[in-house]
Amino acid sequence: MYLIGFLEGAGAHCLDLIRGGIHVYASFASLPLQVFFISLVVLDPLVVVLVGLVRPEGIRLASGVMVVDVIANWIVNWPQLQEDPAWLLRPVGLLPITLFGLFVVASSVPLARTTKRTLVPLSCTAR
């Protein structure tokens, strides 16, 4: 689930950059949030690689990215949400990001424990 969610996020942010350039988020997000959203083009694939390699760092990074991503999306969507509470129920947008973020954070501790027990050092060689 992590891999699918973060690959989708990376793809969405890449498409945003291709379509709108570096200032794609300028119309609705403050400069720090714009920088964060653009940084997801790198952070999301990094999570995919680290989680794919079953690294505990990937689980921690995934949780951190999703906490900030959910907060950032609530900040930029808050004016629209106040105007129209049904905005939350859109199939693409705040609700799926929030649900995925809750899933990542809720699963991160047990998943990190499991990755620590099954971790194979990258420097191991087969004999």
Side-chain angles (χ1 to χ4, degrees):
M1 291 301 292
Y2 277 46
L3 301 180
I4 293 168
F6 282 97
L7 281 172
E8 190 279 329
H13 289 284
C14 281
L15 283 175
D16 287 347
L17 276 175
I18 290 167
R19 291 179 187 148
I22 195 86
H23 300 291
V24 67
Y25 305 112
S27 66
F28 59 86
S30 65
L31 184 58
L33 293 179
Q34 292 176 55
V35 170
F36 172 71
F37 288 137
I38 291 169
S39 74
L40 291 175
V41 171
V42 174
L43 292 173
D44 284 349
L46 181 58
V47 167
V48 170
V49 169
L50 291 173
V51 170
L53 292 172
V54 194
R55 305 299 299 179
E57 300 84 4
I59 307 305
R60 289 192 296 271
L61 181 60
S63 294
V65 166
M66 285 314 301
V67 166
V68 177
D69 197 14
V70 168
I71 291 169
N73 273 281
W74 273 87
I75 289 169
V76 299
N77 283 286
W78 187 249
Q80 182 66 32
L81 197 56
Q82 284 183 309
E83 193 175 298
D84 178 16
W87 183 259
L88 181 63
L89 302 177
R90 290 180 32 219
V92 175
L94 193 55
L95 183 60
I97 290 168
T98 302
L99 292 175
F100 182 66
L102 290 171
F103 166 74
V104 169
V105 170
S107 64
S108 66
V109 171
L111 195 55
R113 282 188 198 133
T114 302
T115 59
K116 285 181 184 174
R117 283 192 294 249
T118 60
L119 187 60
V120 177
L122 294 176
S123 62
C124 284
T125 56
R127 292 180 184 217

